[in-house]
Amino acid sequence: MNREKQRELLRLLEEDSRLTNEQMGTLLGVAAEEVANEIKRLIDEKIIVKFPALVNWERVNDNPFVTAMIDVKVAPKREVGFNEVAERISRFPEVEAVYLMSGANYDLSVVMEGKSMREVADFVSQKLATFEGVISTATHFILKRYKHDGISFEERDDDHRMVVTP
């Protein structure tokens, strides 16, 4: 599959990974078998790493999760920079993501989920802040999601009233 078709396939999968190989093949103008082979190759090469569903947890009754974004200031180590600390942080199961940041007053951005604010606070104070090389942390709790991965969670009622001007 050429690069252009491969990128189109990746965009289709990002938009709706529930499409069948036949449907994607039709959209791309290739055989379903070629789509299946390309998806397998992309998975094997770790270009495709997961096929997630995006859940709006605010609509689920009794949502059990609190999400926090934690800014981490790190003293980089010779020869490994920030990589060693980032790798160690990413091993915790409650950590959803770790990013190296630029242009900020911190070096790493950590996204984590906990069952309560107390659980997040305990993680930060007992695990994260005690890491060798961690200079400081700042924790931000997500109060409401408006948009995630390009998907808007807000339902807007379109105003169907007639516009009246004087």
Side-chain angles (χ1 to χ4, degrees), residues 98-159:
V98 179
Y99 304 102
L100 178 62
M101 304 301 291
S102 70
N105 292 327
Y106 54 94
D107 304 303
L108 300 176
S109 180
V110 177
V111 179
M112 72 158 292
E113 281 191 348
K115 292 180 183 167
S116 66
M117 291 176 127
R118 169 57 52 205
E119 187 175 295
V120 172
D122 288 346
F123 171 81
V124 172
S125 65
Q126 296 170 13
K127 295 179 181 176
L128 191 57
T130 62
F131 268 35
E132 182 182 339
V134 170
I135 297 169
S136 65
T137 64
T139 303
H140 313 276
F141 289 96
I142 295 177
L143 302 177
K144 183 175 181 176
R145 292 175 200 239
Y146 294 97
K147 187 174 184 179
H148 184 80
D149 285 344
I151 306 296
S152 177
F153 288 146
E154 283 293 296
E155 290 183 22
R156 294 189 333 211
D157 292 331
D158 291 334
D159 191 355

Side-chain angles (χ1 to χ4, degrees), residues 11 39 48 70 73 106 121 126 131 136 139 160:
R11 282 189 200 101
I39 290 172
I48 296 174
I70 307 161
K73 184 78 174 158
Y106 54 94
Q126 296 170 13
F131 268 35
S136 65
T139 303
H160 297 291

Side-chain angles (χ1 to χ4, degrees), residues 25-63:
T26 300
L27 292 168
L28 296 170
V30 299
E33 185 177 334
E34 186 176 352
V35 170
N37 291 337
E38 185 66 11
I39 290 172
K40 183 186 180 325
R41 186 185 70 74
L42 293 167
I43 291 169
D44 291 345
E45 291 183 16
K46 305 227 184 290
I47 293 171
I48 296 174
V49 292
K50 189 176 178 182
F51 295 94
L54 180 57
V55 177
N56 184 354
W57 285 104
E58 290 180 14
R59 294 184 150 257
V60 176
N61 291 335
D62 301 323
N63 174 16

